[in-house]
Amino acid sequence: MATQPHLLVDDGDLTDRVLIPGDPGRVDRIASHCDEHETIAENREYKVVNATYEGQELTICSTGIGCPSAAIAVEELANVGVETFIRVGTTGALQSDVEIGDMIVATGAAKNEGTSKRYEAVEYPAVPDYDVLSALVDSAEANDEEVHVGPIASDDAYYAESDNAVDDWEDAGLLSVEMEAAAVFSLARRKGLRAGAICTVDGNLVEGTQKGTDTEDDELPDKAKNNVGRAIDIALEATTQL
């Protein structure tokens, strides 16, 4: 098989399981939690690293922002033999009782994006693999960490989220909104692969503290950044169960 055009990797370069943050910088942060790591490729929004954690080999690959670039990553990672995907990212809360710094394990993602709709009808569910979902929840419990478990939304237009949309998501019981999970879940299911997601809350749209806005508490952004490390540890522990 030819070198993948965006990730610049070949068959046999990577492991069969991968953590997929959006931010390339977070690849390095995840790698710092591992015992050993080696950069395999770096191109555009994609940085690919192989690592070892507690004797378990895994890959870390950034996806960039949004479902289109995440879908490219999933497609090309699958082409070179990856079978399990765990998204480790950030998300904006949609319920008043979900606080900045909390962690969410997604049981499904509403398709408020266009990428998955190019693959299948919107009525088809964007859901994680049960084993991956269970491994993330079990890992959190083993580390005495509390996580919210429930449905989220994936949305394309970061700056077009209206008050009406936020109210509707809140009324529907969705826990948070991010920009990649729906495509990751849908593509993995269609390919017979496994996917899941754990995200750290970095703002609350219902409370008006979404990322990028002024808040009364200057520590909120730092709290979210610091607690990303907890989600990384949970995701890494989950890979050892899969």
Side-chain angles (χ1 to χ4, degrees), residues 47-86:
K47 182 169 185 177
V48 187
V49 169
N50 280 344
T52 303
Y53 178 80
E54 295 187 354
Q56 176 71 55
E57 294 183 347
L58 65 133
T59 297
I60 312 161
C61 175
S62 56
T63 66
I65 296 175
C67 285
S69 60
I72 289 173
V74 172
E75 290 275 14
E76 295 191 7
L77 289 167
N79 285 344
V80 297
V82 174
E83 298 177 349
T84 302
F85 302 79
I86 300 179

Side-chain angles (χ1 to χ4, degrees), residues 6-9 24-25 28 39-49 62:
H6 300 91
L7 301 189
L8 304 183
V9 295
D28 295 328
T39 299
I40 304 301
E42 193 166 2
N43 182 49
R44 298 190 178 188
E45 62 263 55
Y46 305 108
K47 182 169 185 177
V48 187
V49 169
S62 56

